[in-house]
Amino acid sequence: MIRVASYNMRKAIGTDRRRNPERILEVLREVNADVIALQEADRRFGARAAVITPHLLEEHSDWKPVTFGVRVNSMGWHGNALLVRKDSQIVDCELIHLPALEPRGAVMADVRIGATILRVIGMHLDLSGLWRRRQAAAILAHVSASTHQRPTVMMGDLNEWTRAAGCLRDFSRDFAFAETGPSFHARRPVGRLDRIMVSEQLTIVECGVHQSAAARKASDHLPIWADLRPA
């Protein structure tokens, strides 16, 4: 069984308007996933430094970041980051360029977990429905064109409210959705903005939204998770 999770950590600014990276790590430890897709993991301005420092991650967590080598101080790219267990092997990783009016991108990694090589894609899509559909098309085309096809999980904040339309309908043609439930706003979750989607080589065994007291304070989104089994 492989547990995956997605979390818009809002640059570690909680619902109390305080920035606290240690709180984010506390929530991640509670979720205890093998692979985590983070959104808004870097500061927005300046050097775009990672909010969770390398020291914090190394000394106080079970995960290591997938490094994409784009910005020295960043954890990921355009705020998207992937964390994997320290004992897992990163087989390959790359960036996915997305069409956008403002900087947007997705990150992809092939990770060996036990006997399985899992392809993981993390994303944070646009607020505009038109651009979300263009970005979904770019991600799907990139995955389809890959030389090596692997069991794939795509996760992130899709900013889409309606399941029957827009980019969610586009993704659903080839991927199944984990029925995790609403994750936004953390204090009173009503929106299913955060999503986990899997290819046909994976079975969703269990899934949900993590709603601990720490999670309700750490960000304006709650983390979502899914337990997967190779089909």
Side-chain angles (χ1 to χ4, degrees):
M1 200 82 70
I2 299 171
R3 173 164 288 195
V4 300
S6 180
Y7 192 17
N8 185 331
M9 55 179 276
R10 199 198 184 192
K11 306 173 187 66
I13 299 174
T15 52
D16 57 3
R17 299 185 181 181
R18 296 179 180 178
R19 190 190 304 275
N20 190 333
E22 289 87 352
R23 231 170 12 188
I24 297 296
L25 285 180
E26 178 185 353
V27 173
L28 294 181
R29 285 192 292 267
E30 291 175 350
V31 177
N32 197 30
D34 300 297
V35 181
I36 303 163
L38 295 175
Q39 301 87 50
E40 300 193 25
D42 299 329
R43 292 177 183 265
R44 186 171 183 179
F45 301 108
R48 306 281 179 92
V51 175
I52 302 174
T53 64
H55 169 76
L56 268 180
L57 206 58
E58 176 63 31
E59 299 295 326
H60 301 283
S61 88
D62 294 328
W63 302 279
K64 60 185 177 183
V66 177
T67 55
F68 297 93
V70 182
R71 290 178 180 269
V72 175
N73 297 315
S74 297
M75 184 185 291
W77 190 50
H78 293 316
N80 294 289
L82 297 174
L83 301 181
V84 299
R85 298 275 190 196
K86 289 176 180 174
D87 61 355
S88 61
Q89 178 190 0
I90 301 167
V91 177
D92 195 11
C93 64
E94 60 184 294
L95 307 174
I96 303 176
H97 294 269
L98 299 182
L101 290 176
E102 60 180 11
R104 293 277 178 176
V107 290
M108 184 170 88
D110 291 349
V111 185
R112 187 185 301 277
I113 304 171
T116 302
I117 297 180
L118 184 70
R119 175 161 293 162
V120 185
I121 297 170
M123 67 187 80
H124 189 183
L125 301 189
D126 206 282
L127 294 173
S128 159
L130 173 63
W131 286 101
R132 280 196 300 273
R133 294 200 69 184
R134 292 174 177 174
Q135 290 160 3
I139 292 168
L140 290 168
H142 189 93
V143 172
S144 177
S146 295
T147 303
H148 301 288
Q149 296 296 313
R150 305 192 189 280
T152 300
V153 56
M154 302 196 296
M155 304 184 282
D157 180 354
L158 273 57
N159 270 316
E160 187 74 72
W161 290 81
T162 305
R163 171 70 176 272
C167 70
L168 297 186
R169 184 173 59 186
D170 299 335
F171 281 123
S172 69
R173 295 189 186 111
D174 299 307
F175 287 80
F177 285 83
E179 298 298 337
T180 53
S183 55
F184 179 83
H185 186 277
R187 285 184 172 175
R188 189 179 179 184
V190 295
R192 300 188 181 210
L193 303 185
D194 304 287
R195 297 283 183 168
I196 295 174
M197 305 167 283
V198 302
S199 65
E200 62 182 4
Q201 301 100 323
L202 295 168
T203 299
I204 301 165
V205 178
E206 195 172 357
C207 62
V209 179
H210 185 72
Q211 301 193 52
S212 69
R216 287 192 290 272
K217 280 187 178 181
S219 170
D220 60 347
H221 287 245
L222 296 169
I224 60 173
W225 58 272
D227 290 336
L228 309 177
R229 183 176 61 229

